[in-house]
Amino acid sequence: MRITVNPPKSEWADLLRRPQIDAPVIGERVAAILERVRAGGDRAVLDLTAEIDSVALDSLEVAPEEIERAEAAVSPELKRAIATAAEHIERFHAAQRPRTVDLETAPGVRCLQRAVPIRRVGLYVPGGSAPLFSTVLMLAVPARVAGCEQIVLCTPPQKDGSVAPAVLYAASIAGVRRIFKAGGAQAIGAMAYGTQSIPRVDKIFGPGNQYVTAAKQQVASSSVAIDMPAGPSEVLVMADSTAVPAFVAADLLSQAEHGPDSQTVLLTPSRGLAEQVAREVERQLAALPRRQTAALAIENSRIVVLDSPDEMIEMSNAYAPEHLILSVEEPWAVAERITAAGSVFLGNYTPESAGDYASGTNHTLPTYGWARSMSGVNLDSFLRKITYQQITPDGLRGLGPTIETMASAEGLDAHRNAVTIRLESL
């Protein structure tokens, strides 16, 4: 990994630049795919699956017998692990249930706010070389806890036309009843517009590649809500002299193996630690089964040596990482100053992979700097907040003149009259 020592702030933006996305070209291709799905429904999704994934399917929906076979194929050890992770995710997200707000803002003026679940949600789970059954839990368990009436899941088929058994098993125990073999932009289009088989949903969740992210953004402009533009995975690690170089290297590589467009960043005040971590990355990389993928991601990565903890915090907040690991002496003191991050991991014994799988927090997080303005998936992501108000006659007598004055000042006479006509009746 490339080491940069004490760069001036004028160079920080270039140093922290993420891998570039050819947005115009991808956007055009995605727009064409979405239009085919909108016009052609199931047939278009099947044809695109054959063209893009080289998988010929007769139908899109996963049959009950496929789910039964998947359950038999998953080892008892993995079933126990999935059950444990699901329990922790459910406990953490159930604790996020919002309270109903019910109060009088003035005598006779009652205002309420309560949360109601989004009725129909669509979950996208990436496939490829590493089907992410953990993402099924991260999306489906909160959706069930929130009380969503219909949960639809789309995931790319494997080369033999099947879905990875662990994905189907995780979906089954998380409460997903309808699963479809569809990936990429065509899956996003199917959930946004609806097809003969795949129901139209109200909001789409889930990470994906650049095509999936672009498709989510395009359908969000006209058809459906989305959780966030979740793109390639990334991690930033702050490490001081109390950090363990082997731990830091392992955390960097755990993100690098996601894909060649992933990015890892290490900030440290120690040149010696920087060099130790760089050597450790090379040593651990050589033993990874996915080392070719990870090596490409490491090319997009860097180590930056800075003079002070203050500069490390400033640079981290400027980068706004998806995952932030604080391998420092006083991690909570640093965490209190973090203003932009998807999820924060504190101390030497809190690997980012804990949040990816089983600690209970959600791993669907904002990337590419979106952590400056967006949160990761949480229970609120599956809820809508509706407000209510009720005014008594005495309440309107007290509040009415304020409304009349404000409506007149804005030149909205009908607004004023809606109050005046009631006051005159009293």
Side-chain angles (χ1 to χ4, degrees), residues 78 81-82 84-86 88-89 92-93 125-126 130-139 141-142 170 207 231-235 250-259 262-264 290 322-325 342-345 350-367 377:
L78 182 53
I82 289 173
T84 298
H88 295 171
I89 293 164
F92 185 68
H93 288 78
V125 176
L132 301 181
F133 63 86
S134 57
T135 299
V136 178
L137 302 179
M138 295 292 174
L139 300 176
V141 171
S233 192
E234 59 197 31
V235 66
D251 287 331
L252 297 174
L253 288 169
S254 73
Q255 288 306 295
E257 73 174 351
H258 269 298
S262 296
Q263 188 174 53
T264 66
R290 294 171 62 86
E322 176 190 19
H323 307 98
L324 171 61
I325 299 175
S343 191
V344 184
F345 303 78
T350 314
E352 183 276 324
S353 49
D356 268 357
Y357 289 110
S359 63
T361 63
N362 208 287
H363 78 199
T364 308
L365 302 166
T367 65
V377 166

Short mmCIF file of all heavy atoms in Angstrom, two decimals, residues 78 81-82 84-86 88-89 92-93 125-126 130-139 141-142 170 207 231-235 250-259 262-264 290 322-325 342-345 350-367 377:
data_model
loop_
_atom_site.label_atom_id
_atom_site.label_comp_id
_atom_site.label_asym_id
_atom_site.label_seq_id
_atom_site.Cartn_x
_atom_site.Cartn_y
_atom_site.Cartn_z
N LEU A 78 -23.84 -23.71 10.28
CA LEU A 78 -24.22 -22.44 9.66
C LEU A 78 -25.63 -22.04 10.07
O LEU A 78 -25.91 -20.86 10.29
CB LEU A 78 -24.11 -22.53 8.13
CG LEU A 78 -24.45 -21.25 7.36
CD1 LEU A 78 -23.64 -20.07 7.87
CD2 LEU A 78 -24.24 -21.46 5.86
N ALA A 81 -25.32 -20.38 13.34
CA ALA A 81 -24.73 -19.05 13.20
C ALA A 81 -25.74 -18.06 12.66
O ALA A 81 -25.85 -16.91 13.15
CB ALA A 81 -23.51 -19.12 12.28
N ILE A 82 -26.52 -18.46 11.67
CA ILE A 82 -27.55 -17.58 11.10
C ILE A 82 -28.60 -17.25 12.15
O ILE A 82 -29.04 -16.11 12.27
CB ILE A 82 -28.17 -18.23 9.85
CG1 ILE A 82 -27.16 -18.23 8.69
CG2 ILE A 82 -29.45 -17.51 9.43
CD1 ILE A 82 -27.62 -18.99 7.46
N THR A 84 -28.23 -17.17 15.41
CA THR A 84 -27.64 -16.26 16.40
C THR A 84 -27.59 -14.84 15.86
O THR A 84 -27.98 -13.88 16.55
CB THR A 84 -26.23 -16.72 16.78
OG1 THR A 84 -26.30 -18.02 17.38
CG2 THR A 84 -25.58 -15.76 17.76
N ALA A 85 -27.12 -14.70 14.62
CA ALA A 85 -27.05 -13.36 14.02
C ALA A 85 -28.44 -12.74 13.90
O ALA A 85 -28.63 -11.56 14.22
CB ALA A 85 -26.39 -13.45 12.64
N ALA A 86 -29.41 -13.53 13.47
CA ALA A 86 -30.78 -13.02 13.32
C ALA A 86 -31.33 -12.55 14.65
O ALA A 86 -32.02 -11.52 14.73
CB ALA A 86 -31.67 -14.10 12.71
N HIS A 88 -29.62 -11.38 17.24
CA HIS A 88 -28.98 -10.12 17.64
C HIS A 88 -29.50 -8.95 16.81
O HIS A 88 -29.74 -7.85 17.35
CB HIS A 88 -27.47 -10.24 17.48
CG HIS A 88 -26.85 -11.25 18.39
ND1 HIS A 88 -25.53 -11.66 18.29
CD2 HIS A 88 -27.37 -11.96 19.43
CE1 HIS A 88 -25.27 -12.55 19.22
NE2 HIS A 88 -26.37 -12.76 19.92
N ILE A 89 -29.67 -9.18 15.51
CA ILE A 89 -30.19 -8.11 14.64
C ILE A 89 -31.61 -7.74 15.06
O ILE A 89 -31.97 -6.55 15.12
CB ILE A 89 -30.15 -8.58 13.17
CG1 ILE A 89 -28.70 -8.74 12.70
CG2 ILE A 89 -30.87 -7.58 12.25
CD1 ILE A 89 -28.56 -9.55 11.43
N PHE A 92 -31.58 -5.68 18.42
CA PHE A 92 -31.11 -4.30 18.28
C PHE A 92 -32.13 -3.43 17.54
O PHE A 92 -32.38 -2.29 17.92
CB PHE A 92 -29.76 -4.28 17.54
CG PHE A 92 -29.15 -2.91 17.46
CD1 PHE A 92 -28.69 -2.26 18.60
CD2 PHE A 92 -29.04 -2.26 16.24
CE1 PHE A 92 -28.12 -1.00 18.52
CE2 PHE A 92 -28.48 -0.99 16.16
CZ PHE A 92 -28.02 -0.36 17.30
N HIS A 93 -32.73 -3.99 16.49
CA HIS A 93 -33.68 -3.19 15.71
C HIS A 93 -35.03 -3.06 16.42
O HIS A 93 -35.69 -2.02 16.30
CB HIS A 93 -33.84 -3.79 14.31
CG HIS A 93 -32.63 -3.56 13.45
ND1 HIS A 93 -31.49 -4.31 13.57
CD2 HIS A 93 -32.38 -2.65 12.47
CE1 HIS A 93 -30.58 -3.88 12.71
NE2 HIS A 93 -31.10 -2.88 12.03
N VAL A 125 -30.45 -8.47 -2.83
CA VAL A 125 -29.31 -9.15 -2.22
C VAL A 125 -28.33 -9.53 -3.33
O VAL A 125 -28.67 -10.32 -4.20
CB VAL A 125 -29.75 -10.40 -1.45
CG1 VAL A 125 -28.54 -11.16 -0.91
CG2 VAL A 125 -30.68 -10.01 -0.30
N PRO A 126 -27.12 -8.95 -3.32
CA PRO A 126 -26.15 -9.26 -4.39
C PRO A 126 -25.80 -10.73 -4.41
O PRO A 126 -25.86 -11.43 -3.39
CB PRO A 126 -24.93 -8.40 -4.02
CG PRO A 126 -25.46 -7.34 -3.13
CD PRO A 126 -26.60 -7.95 -2.38
N ALA A 130 -19.73 -14.23 -4.20
CA ALA A 130 -19.95 -14.39 -2.76
C ALA A 130 -21.37 -13.97 -2.42
O ALA A 130 -21.61 -12.83 -2.02
CB ALA A 130 -18.94 -13.55 -1.97
N PRO A 131 -22.34 -14.87 -2.59
CA PRO A 131 -23.73 -14.52 -2.26
C PRO A 131 -23.85 -14.08 -0.81
O PRO A 131 -23.43 -14.80 0.10
CB PRO A 131 -24.49 -15.83 -2.52
CG PRO A 131 -23.61 -16.61 -3.44
CD PRO A 131 -22.21 -16.25 -3.07
N LEU A 132 -24.42 -12.93 -0.60
CA LEU A 132 -24.41 -12.32 0.73
C LEU A 132 -25.68 -12.67 1.51
O LEU A 132 -26.60 -11.85 1.63
CB LEU A 132 -24.24 -10.81 0.61
CG LEU A 132 -22.97 -10.35 -0.12
CD1 LEU A 132 -22.89 -8.84 -0.15
CD2 LEU A 132 -21.72 -10.93 0.56
N PHE A 133 -25.71 -13.88 2.08
CA PHE A 133 -26.89 -14.26 2.87
C PHE A 133 -27.01 -13.38 4.11
O PHE A 133 -28.10 -13.21 4.65
CB PHE A 133 -26.84 -15.73 3.26
CG PHE A 133 -25.69 -16.12 4.15
CD1 PHE A 133 -25.79 -16.00 5.52
CD2 PHE A 133 -24.50 -16.59 3.61
CE1 PHE A 133 -24.74 -16.35 6.35
CE2 PHE A 133 -23.44 -16.94 4.43
CZ PHE A 133 -23.56 -16.83 5.79
N SER A 134 -25.90 -12.79 4.57
CA SER A 134 -25.98 -11.89 5.72
C SER A 134 -26.83 -10.66 5.40
O SER A 134 -27.52 -10.13 6.28
CB SER A 134 -24.59 -11.46 6.17
OG SER A 134 -23.88 -10.83 5.11
N THR A 135 -26.79 -10.21 4.15
CA THR A 135 -27.61 -9.06 3.76
C THR A 135 -29.09 -9.38 3.83
O THR A 135 -29.92 -8.51 4.11
CB THR A 135 -27.22 -8.60 2.34
OG1 THR A 135 -25.84 -8.21 2.36
CG2 THR A 135 -28.06 -7.40 1.90
N VAL A 136 -29.45 -10.64 3.60
CA VAL A 136 -30.85 -11.04 3.76
C VAL A 136 -31.31 -10.73 5.18
O VAL A 136 -32.37 -10.14 5.40
CB VAL A 136 -31.03 -12.54 3.45
CG1 VAL A 136 -32.48 -12.95 3.68
CG2 VAL A 136 -30.59 -12.87 2.03
N LEU A 137 -30.51 -11.12 6.15
CA LEU A 137 -30.87 -10.88 7.55
C LEU A 137 -30.93 -9.39 7.86
O LEU A 137 -31.84 -8.91 8.55
CB LEU A 137 -29.86 -11.55 8.48
CG LEU A 137 -29.68 -13.06 8.35
CD1 LEU A 137 -28.62 -13.56 9.32
CD2 LEU A 137 -31.00 -13.79 8.59
N MET A 138 -29.96 -8.63 7.34
CA MET A 138 -29.88 -7.20 7.63
C MET A 138 -31.07 -6.42 7.09
O MET A 138 -31.42 -5.36 7.61
CB MET A 138 -28.58 -6.62 7.05
CG MET A 138 -27.33 -7.17 7.67
SD MET A 138 -27.15 -6.63 9.40
CE MET A 138 -25.70 -7.58 9.89
N LEU A 139 -31.70 -6.93 6.03
CA LEU A 139 -32.83 -6.24 5.44
C LEU A 139 -34.17 -6.86 5.85
O LEU A 139 -35.11 -6.14 6.19
CB LEU A 139 -32.70 -6.25 3.91
CG LEU A 139 -31.45 -5.57 3.34
CD1 LEU A 139 -31.40 -5.73 1.82
CD2 LEU A 139 -31.40 -4.10 3.73
N VAL A 141 -34.99 -8.95 8.44
CA VAL A 141 -35.35 -8.97 9.86
C VAL A 141 -35.92 -7.61 10.29
O VAL A 141 -37.00 -7.56 10.90
CB VAL A 141 -34.15 -9.39 10.73
CG1 VAL A 141 -34.46 -9.18 12.21
CG2 VAL A 141 -33.79 -10.85 10.47
N PRO A 142 -35.27 -6.48 9.98
CA PRO A 142 -35.90 -5.20 10.34
C PRO A 142 -37.24 -4.97 9.65
O PRO A 142 -38.14 -4.36 10.24
CB PRO A 142 -34.86 -4.16 9.90
CG PRO A 142 -33.56 -4.89 9.87
CD PRO A 142 -33.91 -6.29 9.46
N ALA A 170 -31.67 -18.21 4.91
CA ALA A 170 -31.75 -16.97 5.69
C ALA A 170 -33.05 -16.24 5.41
O ALA A 170 -33.69 -15.69 6.32
CB ALA A 170 -30.55 -16.08 5.37
N PRO A 207 -27.65 -3.23 -1.10
CA PRO A 207 -26.44 -2.79 -1.80
C PRO A 207 -26.32 -3.46 -3.15
O PRO A 207 -27.09 -4.37 -3.49
CB PRO A 207 -25.33 -3.25 -0.86
CG PRO A 207 -25.88 -4.53 -0.27
CD PRO A 207 -27.37 -4.29 -0.11
N GLY A 231 -22.96 1.91 -2.75
CA GLY A 231 -22.06 1.43 -3.80
C GLY A 231 -20.95 0.55 -3.23
O GLY A 231 -21.13 -0.13 -2.23
N PRO A 232 -19.77 0.58 -3.86
CA PRO A 232 -18.66 -0.27 -3.43
C PRO A 232 -18.29 -0.05 -1.96
O PRO A 232 -18.34 1.07 -1.45
CB PRO A 232 -17.51 0.17 -4.36
CG PRO A 232 -18.19 0.72 -5.57
CD PRO A 232 -19.44 1.38 -5.05
N SER A 233 -17.90 -1.12 -1.30
CA SER A 233 -17.62 -1.07 0.13
C SER A 233 -16.31 -0.36 0.42
O SER A 233 -15.39 -0.32 -0.42
CB SER A 233 -17.57 -2.49 0.69
OG SER A 233 -17.57 -2.47 2.09
N GLU A 234 -16.20 0.20 1.63
CA GLU A 234 -15.00 0.96 1.99
C GLU A 234 -14.83 0.95 3.51
O GLU A 234 -15.79 0.80 4.26
CB GLU A 234 -15.11 2.41 1.49
CG GLU A 234 -16.32 3.14 2.04
CD GLU A 234 -16.68 4.41 1.28
OE1 GLU A 234 -16.44 4.47 0.06
OE2 GLU A 234 -17.21 5.33 1.92
N VAL A 235 -13.57 1.12 3.94
CA VAL A 235 -13.27 1.22 5.36
C VAL A 235 -12.13 2.20 5.56
O VAL A 235 -11.23 2.32 4.73
CB VAL A 235 -12.88 -0.17 5.95
CG1 VAL A 235 -11.57 -0.68 5.36
CG2 VAL A 235 -12.79 -0.11 7.47
N ALA A 250 -5.76 -7.06 8.70
CA ALA A 250 -6.89 -7.96 8.48
C ALA A 250 -8.16 -7.16 8.22
O ALA A 250 -8.98 -7.54 7.36
CB ALA A 250 -7.08 -8.88 9.69
N ASP A 251 -8.35 -6.05 8.94
CA ASP A 251 -9.54 -5.22 8.72
C ASP A 251 -9.52 -4.58 7.33
O ASP A 251 -10.55 -4.49 6.66
CB ASP A 251 -9.62 -4.13 9.80
CG ASP A 251 -10.02 -4.68 11.16
OD1 ASP A 251 -10.72 -5.70 11.20
OD2 ASP A 251 -9.61 -4.10 12.17
N LEU A 252 -8.36 -4.12 6.91
CA LEU A 252 -8.25 -3.52 5.58
C LEU A 252 -8.58 -4.55 4.50
O LEU A 252 -9.32 -4.27 3.55
CB LEU A 252 -6.85 -2.94 5.37
CG LEU A 252 -6.43 -1.79 6.30
CD1 LEU A 252 -4.97 -1.44 6.08
CD2 LEU A 252 -7.31 -0.56 6.09
N LEU A 253 -8.05 -5.74 4.65
CA LEU A 253 -8.28 -6.78 3.64
C LEU A 253 -9.71 -7.30 3.66
O LEU A 253 -10.23 -7.74 2.63
CB LEU A 253 -7.29 -7.93 3.85
CG LEU A 253 -5.84 -7.60 3.47
CD1 LEU A 253 -4.89 -8.69 3.96
CD2 LEU A 253 -5.70 -7.41 1.96
N SER A 254 -10.37 -7.24 4.81
CA SER A 254 -11.75 -7.73 4.87
C SER A 254 -12.66 -6.88 3.99
O SER A 254 -13.68 -7.38 3.50
CB SER A 254 -12.25 -7.73 6.32
OG SER A 254 -12.51 -6.42 6.78
N GLN A 255 -12.31 -5.63 3.78
CA GLN A 255 -13.08 -4.80 2.86
C GLN A 255 -12.56 -4.95 1.43
O GLN A 255 -13.33 -4.94 0.47
CB GLN A 255 -13.02 -3.33 3.28
CG GLN A 255 -13.83 -3.04 4.51
CD GLN A 255 -15.27 -3.50 4.37
OE1 GLN A 255 -16.02 -3.01 3.56
NE2 GLN A 255 -15.66 -4.49 5.18
N ALA A 256 -11.25 -5.08 1.28
CA ALA A 256 -10.66 -5.18 -0.05
C ALA A 256 -11.18 -6.40 -0.81
O ALA A 256 -11.31 -6.38 -2.03
CB ALA A 256 -9.14 -5.25 0.05
N GLU A 257 -11.50 -7.49 -0.09
CA GLU A 257 -11.94 -8.70 -0.79
C GLU A 257 -13.37 -8.60 -1.31
O GLU A 257 -13.82 -9.48 -2.04
CB GLU A 257 -11.79 -9.92 0.10
CG GLU A 257 -12.79 -10.04 1.23
CD GLU A 257 -12.66 -11.36 1.98
OE1 GLU A 257 -11.91 -12.24 1.52
OE2 GLU A 257 -13.32 -11.51 3.04
N HIS A 258 -14.09 -7.52 -0.95
CA HIS A 258 -15.45 -7.37 -1.48
C HIS A 258 -15.45 -7.22 -2.99
O HIS A 258 -16.32 -7.76 -3.68
CB HIS A 258 -16.12 -6.14 -0.85
CG HIS A 258 -16.89 -6.46 0.39
ND1 HIS A 258 -17.97 -7.31 0.41
CD2 HIS A 258 -16.72 -6.04 1.67
CE1 HIS A 258 -18.44 -7.39 1.65
NE2 HIS A 258 -17.71 -6.64 2.43
N GLY A 259 -14.51 -6.44 -3.52
CA GLY A 259 -14.50 -6.21 -4.96
C GLY A 259 -13.36 -5.31 -5.36
O GLY A 259 -12.78 -4.60 -4.52
N SER A 262 -13.55 -1.65 -4.28
CA SER A 262 -13.57 -1.30 -2.87
C SER A 262 -12.35 -0.46 -2.53
O SER A 262 -11.36 -0.45 -3.27
CB SER A 262 -13.60 -2.55 -2.00
OG SER A 262 -14.78 -3.29 -2.20
N GLN A 263 -12.41 0.24 -1.39
CA GLN A 263 -11.29 1.10 -1.01
C GLN A 263 -11.03 1.00 0.48
O GLN A 263 -11.96 0.92 1.29
CB GLN A 263 -11.58 2.56 -1.39
CG GLN A 263 -10.38 3.48 -1.19
CD GLN A 263 -10.64 4.89 -1.71
OE1 GLN A 263 -11.62 5.51 -1.35
NE2 GLN A 263 -9.76 5.38 -2.57
N THR A 264 -9.75 1.00 0.85
CA THR A 264 -9.37 0.98 2.25
C THR A 264 -8.38 2.10 2.51
O THR A 264 -7.53 2.40 1.67
CB THR A 264 -8.73 -0.37 2.64
OG1 THR A 264 -7.49 -0.51 1.95
CG2 THR A 264 -9.64 -1.52 2.29
N ARG A 290 -9.30 -15.03 -2.22
CA ARG A 290 -9.76 -13.95 -3.10
C ARG A 290 -8.68 -12.88 -3.26
O ARG A 290 -8.97 -11.69 -3.40
CB ARG A 290 -11.04 -13.33 -2.53
CG ARG A 290 -12.23 -14.29 -2.54
CD ARG A 290 -13.43 -13.74 -1.78
NE ARG A 290 -13.95 -12.51 -2.36
CZ ARG A 290 -14.83 -12.46 -3.35
NH1 ARG A 290 -15.30 -13.59 -3.88
NH2 ARG A 290 -15.27 -11.31 -3.82
N GLU A 322 -17.82 4.60 4.99
CA GLU A 322 -18.90 3.67 5.28
C GLU A 322 -18.64 2.99 6.62
O GLU A 322 -19.51 2.94 7.50
CB GLU A 322 -18.98 2.62 4.16
CG GLU A 322 -20.01 1.54 4.40
CD GLU A 322 -19.88 0.40 3.41
OE1 GLU A 322 -18.82 0.25 2.76
OE2 GLU A 322 -20.86 -0.37 3.29
N HIS A 323 -17.44 2.43 6.79
CA HIS A 323 -17.03 1.81 8.04
C HIS A 323 -15.83 2.58 8.59
O HIS A 323 -14.90 2.89 7.85
CB HIS A 323 -16.59 0.36 7.83
CG HIS A 323 -17.59 -0.50 7.13
ND1 HIS A 323 -17.53 -0.76 5.77
CD2 HIS A 323 -18.68 -1.16 7.59
CE1 HIS A 323 -18.54 -1.55 5.44
NE2 HIS A 323 -19.25 -1.80 6.52
N LEU A 324 -15.86 2.85 9.88
CA LEU A 324 -14.74 3.54 10.55
C LEU A 324 -14.31 2.71 11.74
O LEU A 324 -15.11 2.43 12.64
CB LEU A 324 -15.16 4.94 10.99
CG LEU A 324 -14.17 5.70 11.88
CD1 LEU A 324 -12.84 5.92 11.15
CD2 LEU A 324 -14.75 7.02 12.34
N ILE A 325 -13.05 2.31 11.76
CA ILE A 325 -12.50 1.52 12.86
C ILE A 325 -11.54 2.41 13.65
O ILE A 325 -10.63 3.01 13.07
CB ILE A 325 -11.78 0.26 12.34
CG1 ILE A 325 -12.77 -0.64 11.59
CG2 ILE A 325 -11.12 -0.49 13.49
CD1 ILE A 325 -12.11 -1.85 10.94
N GLY A 342 -20.71 5.82 8.45
CA GLY A 342 -21.86 4.93 8.42
C GLY A 342 -21.99 4.13 9.70
O GLY A 342 -23.04 4.10 10.33
N SER A 343 -20.90 3.48 10.12
CA SER A 343 -20.89 2.70 11.35
C SER A 343 -19.49 2.73 11.92
O SER A 343 -18.50 2.66 11.16
CB SER A 343 -21.33 1.25 11.08
OG SER A 343 -21.58 0.56 12.29
N VAL A 344 -19.37 2.84 13.25
CA VAL A 344 -18.08 3.01 13.91
C VAL A 344 -17.78 1.80 14.78
O VAL A 344 -18.65 1.32 15.52
CB VAL A 344 -18.06 4.31 14.75
CG1 VAL A 344 -16.67 4.54 15.35
CG2 VAL A 344 -18.46 5.52 13.88
N PHE A 345 -16.54 1.33 14.73
CA PHE A 345 -16.09 0.15 15.46
C PHE A 345 -14.95 0.57 16.38
O PHE A 345 -13.94 1.08 15.91
CB PHE A 345 -15.64 -0.94 14.48
CG PHE A 345 -16.71 -1.31 13.49
CD1 PHE A 345 -16.98 -0.50 12.39
CD2 PHE A 345 -17.47 -2.46 13.67
CE1 PHE A 345 -17.99 -0.82 11.49
CE2 PHE A 345 -18.48 -2.79 12.77
CZ PHE A 345 -18.73 -1.97 11.68
N THR A 350 -12.79 -5.13 18.09
CA THR A 350 -14.07 -4.92 17.42
C THR A 350 -13.84 -4.89 15.91
O THR A 350 -13.76 -3.81 15.31
CB THR A 350 -14.73 -3.61 17.89
OG1 THR A 350 -14.66 -3.51 19.30
CG2 THR A 350 -16.19 -3.56 17.45
N PRO A 351 -13.70 -6.04 15.28
CA PRO A 351 -13.48 -6.05 13.83
C PRO A 351 -14.73 -5.60 13.08
O PRO A 351 -15.86 -5.81 13.55
CB PRO A 351 -13.15 -7.51 13.52
CG PRO A 351 -13.84 -8.27 14.61
CD PRO A 351 -13.76 -7.41 15.83
N GLU A 352 -14.54 -5.00 11.94
CA GLU A 352 -15.67 -4.55 11.13
C GLU A 352 -16.56 -5.72 10.73
O GLU A 352 -17.78 -5.56 10.58
CB GLU A 352 -15.14 -3.80 9.90
CG GLU A 352 -16.20 -3.21 9.01
CD GLU A 352 -16.73 -4.24 8.02
OE1 GLU A 352 -15.93 -5.08 7.56
OE2 GLU A 352 -17.95 -4.21 7.74
N SER A 353 -15.99 -6.91 10.60
CA SER A 353 -16.79 -8.07 10.21
C SER A 353 -17.82 -8.45 11.27
O SER A 353 -18.81 -9.12 10.97
CB SER A 353 -15.89 -9.27 9.90
OG SER A 353 -14.95 -9.47 10.93
N ALA A 354 -17.65 -7.99 12.52
CA ALA A 354 -18.68 -8.22 13.53
C ALA A 354 -19.97 -7.53 13.14
O ALA A 354 -21.06 -8.09 13.26
CB ALA A 354 -18.20 -7.72 14.90
N GLY A 355 -19.86 -6.29 12.68
CA GLY A 355 -21.04 -5.56 12.22
C GLY A 355 -21.58 -6.11 10.91
O GLY A 355 -22.78 -6.03 10.63
N ASP A 356 -20.70 -6.67 10.09
CA ASP A 356 -21.15 -7.27 8.83
C ASP A 356 -22.06 -8.46 9.07
O ASP A 356 -22.92 -8.76 8.24
CB ASP A 356 -19.94 -7.74 8.01
CG ASP A 356 -19.45 -6.68 7.04
OD1 ASP A 356 -20.08 -5.61 6.95
OD2 ASP A 356 -18.42 -6.92 6.37
N TYR A 357 -21.87 -9.15 10.18
CA TYR A 357 -22.56 -10.41 10.37
C TYR A 357 -23.48 -10.50 11.59
O TYR A 357 -24.64 -10.84 11.46
CB TYR A 357 -21.55 -11.55 10.45
CG TYR A 357 -20.88 -11.86 9.14
CD1 TYR A 357 -19.54 -11.55 8.94
CD2 TYR A 357 -21.59 -12.43 8.10
CE1 TYR A 357 -18.91 -11.81 7.73
CE2 TYR A 357 -20.98 -12.69 6.88
CZ TYR A 357 -19.64 -12.39 6.70
OH TYR A 357 -19.05 -12.63 5.50
N ALA A 358 -22.97 -10.23 12.77
CA ALA A 358 -23.69 -10.79 13.91
C ALA A 358 -23.77 -9.95 15.17
O ALA A 358 -24.39 -10.38 16.14
CB ALA A 358 -23.07 -12.14 14.27
N SER A 359 -23.16 -8.77 15.23
CA SER A 359 -23.24 -8.01 16.49
C SER A 359 -24.65 -7.49 16.73
O SER A 359 -25.09 -7.37 17.88
CB SER A 359 -22.24 -6.86 16.49
OG SER A 359 -22.55 -5.93 15.46
N GLY A 360 -25.36 -7.13 15.64
CA GLY A 360 -26.72 -6.64 15.76
C GLY A 360 -26.97 -5.36 15.00
O GLY A 360 -28.10 -5.06 14.63
N THR A 361 -25.92 -4.55 14.78
CA THR A 361 -26.08 -3.35 13.97
C THR A 361 -26.25 -3.73 12.51
O THR A 361 -25.96 -4.86 12.11
CB THR A 361 -24.87 -2.41 14.11
OG1 THR A 361 -23.69 -3.09 13.62
CG2 THR A 361 -24.65 -2.02 15.55
N ASN A 362 -26.71 -2.79 11.69
CA ASN A 362 -26.98 -3.10 10.29
C ASN A 362 -25.76 -2.83 9.43
O ASN A 362 -25.04 -1.85 9.64
CB ASN A 362 -28.16 -2.27 9.79
CG ASN A 362 -28.90 -2.99 8.68
OD1 ASN A 362 -28.42 -3.10 7.56
ND2 ASN A 362 -30.08 -3.50 9.00
N HIS A 363 -25.54 -3.69 8.44
CA HIS A 363 -24.37 -3.49 7.58
C HIS A 363 -24.71 -2.82 6.25
O HIS A 363 -23.80 -2.63 5.41
CB HIS A 363 -23.62 -4.81 7.37
CG HIS A 363 -24.23 -5.75 6.36
ND1 HIS A 363 -23.92 -7.09 6.34
CD2 HIS A 363 -25.10 -5.58 5.34
CE1 HIS A 363 -24.57 -7.68 5.34
NE2 HIS A 363 -25.29 -6.78 4.72
N THR A 364 -25.95 -2.45 6.03
CA THR A 364 -26.31 -1.72 4.80
C THR A 364 -26.14 -0.24 5.10
O THR A 364 -26.95 0.38 5.78
CB THR A 364 -27.75 -2.03 4.38
OG1 THR A 364 -27.92 -3.46 4.32
CG2 THR A 364 -28.05 -1.43 3.01
N LEU A 365 -25.04 0.33 4.59
CA LEU A 365 -24.56 1.63 5.03
C LEU A 365 -24.27 2.54 3.84
O LEU A 365 -24.01 2.07 2.73
CB LEU A 365 -23.28 1.46 5.86
CG LEU A 365 -23.40 0.58 7.10
CD1 LEU A 365 -22.02 0.21 7.63
CD2 LEU A 365 -24.21 1.29 8.17
N PRO A 366 -24.29 3.86 4.06
CA PRO A 366 -23.97 4.79 2.97
C PRO A 366 -22.48 4.77 2.62
O PRO A 366 -21.62 4.74 3.50
CB PRO A 366 -24.37 6.17 3.55
CG PRO A 366 -24.28 5.98 5.04
CD PRO A 366 -24.65 4.55 5.30
N THR A 367 -22.19 4.74 1.34
CA THR A 367 -20.81 4.75 0.84
C THR A 367 -20.58 6.00 -0.01
O THR A 367 -21.46 6.84 -0.16
CB THR A 367 -20.55 3.50 -0.01
OG1 THR A 367 -21.37 3.57 -1.20
CG2 THR A 367 -20.88 2.23 0.73
N VAL A 377 -29.17 1.69 7.06
CA VAL A 377 -30.50 1.10 7.25
C VAL A 377 -30.72 0.86 8.74
O VAL A 377 -29.85 0.36 9.46
CB VAL A 377 -30.62 -0.21 6.46
CG1 VAL A 377 -31.83 -1.02 6.91
CG2 VAL A 377 -30.72 0.09 4.96
#
